[in-house]
Amino acid sequence: MTEISKAEILRQKDFISRISDINSKKEHKPLAFVETYGCAQNFNDSEKICGMLSDMGFGFCENKEIADLIIYNTCAVRENAEMRVYGNIGAIKNIKRKREGVLLGVCGCMVQQEKIAENVKKRYPYVDMIFGTHALYRFPEILANAMEKNRVFDIENSEGAICEDISCKREAPPLAKVPIMYGCNNFCTYCIVPYVRGRERSRKVEAVLSEVRQVASEGYKEVMLLGQNVNSYGNDFKDGTSFAYLLGEVCKIDGIERVRFMTSHPKDISDELIDVMAREEKICNQLHLPVQCGSSRILEKMNRRYTKEQYLEIVRKVREKMPDIVLTTDIIVGFPGETNEDFEETIDVLKKVRYDTIFSFIYSKRGGTPAAVMEDCLTEEEKHKNFDRLLEVQNEISKEKNDEYLGRIEKVLVEGASKTNPEYMSGRTDGGKIVNFKGNTDMVGKIIDVKITKTQTWSLGGEVL
Ligand code: SAH
Ligand code: SF4
Ligand code: F3S
């Protein structure tokens, strides 16, 4: 693992102070609008962009019409995510025409793909900054160049580098995201992530722990440890450091009351991890274990490196140690070559595992991945029909699973007021289920007992005890 050199970090800090000087002389604090697509990892990257912007004297706004700087942090995992970004960039043309000096940046996974980045550069000449995921720590320099009216195109792949010294502007407590590793080595054949995020590299144990201590001191109660495959944390150190060990250490930190993590690849789930989850009070009673498909034949084509039977065995082991664990998964419908018989195997997994929730996607072809050239057999219409059936089967299971909570008393970490009714608060159970209940904002950040009085497919309702 390489780290960005101290000299380079100082060089970026210099750009930060230069921009901060310029901004402090302006009549009004310039405002930034940052919009993020994709996964928690990308949202954490945006927190870092906002941290750097804040250090450079920017304020923030939710309305791009009044922004001086607009940033889109993009996702490439499916086509629809990319289409939305194109639509958004197109719409900025008018804003830039109306208000001189507005700067526009497009960053993240989508533009880490060379062809797409070139295309954005050509099609939208008014985009001032195009920079990929590897350039995140160079953002101050990129912005300084753009402010001097130089168009920036930085998609260089500084593979393997980790930068530890970037400010992070998080949402208010109680939830904090903390990355423990970057990149992915798995190359599932449908997936673009390894191409846009580079190879797996773990942050040092001490770097993770010191960030968790930091957020604990700022009043955060729950940490979400992030990685594309947290189960392989530490493999690159080659000294036996494991994710299970890291979890144990994180749990020792005072002030942190809940620990979650995402995502776990089933092939790398160890008995040691299951044991530490069962043992440590602070580790939430929840596991997101993406199965992707129930057919072993398709799983092999996906390069997932487990069979249906092996997956079900992992679930059995997990439930043996943690009988009431909340299980969730990701499923792709319509992978190339998937037949209706293969799809029935996925339905079978749903019925056998009985997940609390699933996140399901119709397969989206990603240029440059092995699956993009695999032969397909079902029509789009058939895939949609299967997709709808998947949801129907799951919705019934989700509702039944939630019905089991009726009358139970759950410990809920209160996150904030409900979006639809300010008299209602919203929070999560230890298992990660959303609970809405009548309350007040004094409760935010506290763990309180709530009796569950109402159940729906997606959430629970309750009364504070
Ligand atoms: N590293 C995580 C998450 C990766 S992306 C993991 O391995 O679970 C999140 C989800 O997007 C994946 O689990 C998968 O279900 C879905 N996904 C990835 N590529 C896709 C594609 N080309 N089409 C449709 N869904 C996709
Ligand atoms: Fe993509 Fe597979 Fe890596 Fe997850 S594990 S990011 S699905 S390649
Ligand atoms: Fe999307 Fe990049 Fe995350 S492709 S899912 S934002 S790693």
Side-chain angles (χ1 to χ4, degrees):
M1 176 190 56
T2 38
E3 271 180 41
I4 308 294
S5 71
K6 286 258 158 13
E8 176 60 21
I9 291 170
L10 285 175
R11 214 169 70 79
Q12 296 302 329
K13 295 237 148 132
D14 194 46
F15 286 111
I16 291 182
S17 20
R18 270 197 250 167
I19 295 176
S20 168
D21 275 351
I22 297 173
N23 282 342
S24 66
K25 292 188 186 103
K26 287 186 178 156
E27 212 171 301
H28 300 287
K29 197 175 192 162
L31 295 178
F33 169 91
V34 180
E35 189 155 285
T36 314
Y37 296 84
C39 62
Q41 182 75 71
N42 227 30
F43 277 81
N44 181 251
D45 283 355
S46 285
E47 290 175 342
K48 288 179 177 151
I49 290 177
C50 291
M52 290 185 263
L53 283 171
S54 191
D55 290 349
M56 291 186 274
F58 281 86
F60 297 91
C61 62
E62 311 249 312
N63 174 4
K64 47 185 177 277
E65 298 287 336
I66 59 166
D68 302 285
L69 169 65
I70 298 170
I71 304 264
Y72 287 113
N73 190 5
T74 62
C75 169
V77 84
R78 282 173 292 276
E79 194 182 10
N80 53 7
E82 295 193 339
M83 290 335 265
R84 273 172 41 218
V85 169
Y86 283 128
N88 275 321
I89 307 176
I92 303 299
K93 191 172 183 177
N94 265 333
I95 297 184
K96 292 211 43 153
R97 206 181 277 149
K98 274 190 289 192
R99 295 176 42 235
E100 214 181 304
V102 174
L103 289 177
L104 170 61
V106 180
C107 65
C109 294
M110 209 173 131
V111 289
Q112 189 61 56
Q113 307 166 89
E114 203 174 331
K115 265 197 197 145
I116 298 212
E118 292 285 358
N119 185 32
V120 171
K121 186 178 167 189
K122 232 182 17 230
R123 239 173 91 186
Y124 307 96
Y126 52 90
V127 176
D128 304 285
M129 298 167 272
I130 296 171
F131 57 104
T133 57
H134 298 281
L136 187 70
Y137 75 91
R138 291 194 289 273
F139 177 56
E141 180 176 5
I142 291 168
L143 183 58
N145 275 322
M147 285 168 76
E148 282 170 13
K149 306 232 174 329
N150 299 313
R151 204 173 182 214
V152 187
F153 186 79
D154 183 353
I155 60 161
E156 195 189 317
N157 183 342
S158 48
E159 182 69 75
I162 288 185
C163 188
E164 281 302 346
D165 208 8
I166 304 182
S167 302
C168 187
K169 189 175 179 297
R170 299 187 154 83
E171 275 179 38
L175 314 182
K177 293 186 261 301
V178 175
I180 63 167
M181 61 198 299
Y182 302 96
C184 181
N185 287 354
N186 289 312
F187 290 95
C188 303
T189 54
Y190 49 81
C191 184
I192 197 74
V193 172
Y195 304 88
V196 294
R197 288 275 174 183
R199 294 297 67 71
E200 249 169 44
R201 50 221 187 264
S202 307
R203 293 178 71 190
K204 287 187 181 137
V205 173
E206 197 35 55
V208 174
L209 296 181
S210 107
E211 187 169 349
V212 176
R213 276 186 219 110
Q214 174 66 31
V215 297
S217 75
E218 290 167 11
Y220 291 86
K221 293 284 183 310
E222 177 179 315
V223 286
M224 166 75 90
L225 304 178
L226 297 180
Q228 294 299 343
N229 177 19
V230 291
N231 299 338
S232 54
Y233 172 81
N235 285 355
D236 46 341
F237 300 154
K238 301 193 170 59
D239 65 355
T241 304
S242 67
F243 178 53
Y245 167 76
L246 180 75
L247 270 177
E249 293 301 298
V250 169
C251 289
K252 289 181 191 157
I253 295 174
D254 286 338
I256 295 299
E257 297 187 38
R258 286 182 171 184
V259 180
R260 297 187 201 275
F261 52 86
M262 236 183 33
T263 300
S264 297
H265 196 304
K267 78 175 164 59
D268 295 316
I269 276 241
S270 65
D271 292 344
E272 190 197 5
L273 176 66
I274 299 175
D275 286 342
V276 76
M277 286 181 72
R279 187 177 68 230
E280 291 285 357
E281 276 287 308
K282 289 184 182 179
I283 302 180
C284 289
N285 197 22
Q286 171 195 19
L287 182 63
H288 182 61
L289 198 61
V291 65
Q292 310 299 358
C293 180
S295 151
S296 297
R297 189 180 77 87
I298 294 296
L299 284 169
E300 196 182 341
K301 289 191 177 204
M302 288 177 160
N303 190 30
R304 290 292 287 179
R305 286 173 278 174
Y306 53 81
T307 61
K308 176 187 181 187
E309 289 68 32
Q310 284 166 335
Y311 182 90
L312 291 174
E313 173 57 17
I314 297 164
V315 170
R316 190 197 62 75
K317 271 208 265 188
V318 168
R319 284 223 169 105
E320 188 178 65
K321 293 267 166 79
M322 294 164 275
D324 58 353
I325 192 156
V326 171
L327 279 179
T328 57
T329 202
D330 288 350
I331 287 174
I332 297 176
V333 174
F335 181 83
E338 184 183 74
T339 62
N340 286 327
E341 289 74 52
D342 292 315
F343 176 70
E344 288 311 316
E345 299 275 345
T346 302
I347 295 283
D348 187 49
V349 168
L350 244 56
K351 289 183 174 165
K352 287 204 164 98
V353 177
R354 293 180 61 80
Y355 297 102
D356 290 82
T357 309
I358 65 168
F359 301 89
S360 47
F361 315 98
I362 290 188
Y363 169 73
S364 169
K365 190 191 269 198
R366 305 286 70 207
T369 62
V373 292
M374 289 182 190
E375 219 167 305
D376 216 350
C377 57
L378 295 185
T379 62
E380 284 307 306
E381 202 186 338
E382 283 171 305
K383 291 181 182 181
H384 277 92
K385 224 175 102 198
N386 285 345
F387 184 79
D388 291 344
R389 190 152 144 255
L390 186 85
L391 290 188
E392 213 175 285
V393 171
Q394 180 56 39
N395 284 348
E396 202 177 313
I397 297 173
S398 293
K399 178 71 167 76
E400 285 166 8
K401 291 289 260 187
N402 279 351
D403 285 346
E404 292 169 15
Y405 283 73
L406 213 56
R408 280 202 211 170
I409 293 161
E410 287 288 320
K411 296 220 168 298
V412 174
L413 173 57
V414 186
E415 293 175 14
S418 133
K419 284 186 188 90
T420 44
N421 184 345
E423 277 182 27
Y424 276 74
M425 295 290 120
S426 181
R428 275 173 207 271
T429 66
D430 186 86
K433 288 187 186 268
I434 297 170
V435 185
N436 297 305
F437 52 90
K438 218 170 188 166
N440 57 62
T441 44
D442 291 345
M443 294 171 171
V444 174
K446 297 193 176 113
I447 295 181
I448 55 172
D449 286 328
V450 178
K451 184 172 178 183
I452 306 303
T453 53
K454 200 174 132 194
T455 62
Q456 289 171 316
T457 310
W458 303 107
S459 65
L460 305 171
E463 285 161 15
V464 177
L465 286 186

